[in-house]
Amino acid sequence: MAKIKLYGTSYSGNCHKPKWILDRLGIAYDWIEVDALDGSTRTPEFLAINPAGQVPTLILEDGRMLAQSNAMMLHFAEGTDLIPKDAFERAKMFEWMFWEQYSHEPQIAVRIARKHYLGKREDELEPSLLPKGNAALARMELQLKETPFLVDRALSLADIALVAYTRKADLGGYNLRDYPAVRGWVIRVEELLGIESALPANG
């Protein structure tokens, strides 16, 4: 039987999201490394797989393609304890996942990519990214002072979506020591996912 194929970039938080879900649920898959920074996602061969030219890209056993990391997580986590059964809590999970793509990832992930992986100087970066990213972390701090996870007291897809880049925020010039509740949450989520800590050793 054909195995799931997950095309991804090892340093991409978005690519780790579906990988963590597949690993947690014990679903077999083949990881196919694709460098998102060297043009590999823009080749005719890759565009034939995903016309959007983005990773992660998932090919199911029957050959159907699925794109967008949060869509992949939702597909595989359906019916598991990673999606709240209560309708309101489920809606809150979606609220955080939509917010992650609109207000968190475009600041924090972009600074990580440009500052750490592309080696841009601070004066080459969009000035608004740092304060907007800090505002996103402050929003999370506010919630995580009240609850151990983003949706009440249990790990959900909201936590997995948001931990992907938050755990590496220091690479973008953010300091998680300024957000102790967020930092403690990162540690909890990493432990539950069984992944190595990405927090700085001195942080």
Side-chain angles (χ1 to χ4, degrees), residues 4 11 20 35 41 44-46 65 87 96 106 112 132 164 173 176:
I4 292 167
Y11 51 79
W20 290 334
D35 193 332
T41 61
E45 293 78 13
F46 190 82
M65 187 274 287
W96 280 109
I112 291 171
K132 285 182 177 179
L176 288 188

Side-chain angles (χ1 to χ4, degrees), residues 34 38-50 53:
V34 180
D38 69 359
S40 296
T41 61
R42 296 295 172 177
T43 64
E45 293 78 13
F46 190 82
L47 291 172
I49 298 169
N50 181 357

Side-chain angles (χ1 to χ4, degrees), residues 129-200:
L129 292 176
L130 190 61
K132 285 182 177 179
N134 276 312
L137 292 169
R139 171 67 187 94
M140 294 174 67
E141 181 76 7
L142 192 65
Q143 178 63 44
L144 292 164
K145 283 181 177 179
E146 300 296 322
T147 56
F149 298 98
L150 292 170
V151 182
D152 202 24
R153 308 195 66 80
L155 180 75
S156 75
L157 294 184
D159 300 291
I160 298 172
L162 276 149
V163 84
Y165 285 108
T166 303
R167 64 198 289 264
K168 294 189 173 183
D170 67 294
L171 299 180
Y174 302 96
N175 189 350
L176 288 188
R177 284 175 292 182
D178 295 335
Y179 307 98
V182 171
R183 191 178 182 282
W185 162 83
V186 168
I187 293 170
R188 286 193 296 278
V189 175
E190 287 179 331
E191 288 177 349
L192 286 170
L193 293 176
I195 57 178
E196 186 177 351
S197 177
L199 294 172

Side-chain angles (χ1 to χ4, degrees), residues 14-83:
N14 280 328
C15 292
H16 278 104
K17 294 178 195 175
K19 183 181 187 302
W20 290 334
I21 296 295
L22 291 167
D23 289 341
R24 183 177 177 84
L25 298 178
I27 299 172
Y29 63 96
D30 287 328
W31 174 272
I32 301 169
E33 184 72 20
V34 180
D35 193 332
L37 296 179
D38 69 359
S40 296
T41 61
R42 296 295 172 177
T43 64
E45 293 78 13
F46 190 82
L47 291 172
I49 298 169
N50 181 357
Q54 297 174 325
V55 286
T57 293
L58 187 81
I59 305 297
L60 297 170
E61 298 98 324
D62 60 8
R64 288 180 297 171
M65 187 274 287
L66 188 61
Q68 298 300 318
S69 58
N70 287 349
M72 295 175 195
M73 291 202 299
L74 286 162
H75 174 72
F76 288 109
E78 187 170 354
T80 75
D81 60 1
L82 293 172
I83 298 177

Side-chain angles (χ1 to χ4, degrees), residues 90-102:
R90 190 164 59 250
K92 293 299 289 185
M93 180 194 76
F94 283 122
E95 177 186 316
W96 280 109
M97 292 174 77
F98 296 148
W99 179 85
E100 182 260 344
Q101 288 290 290
Y102 186 78

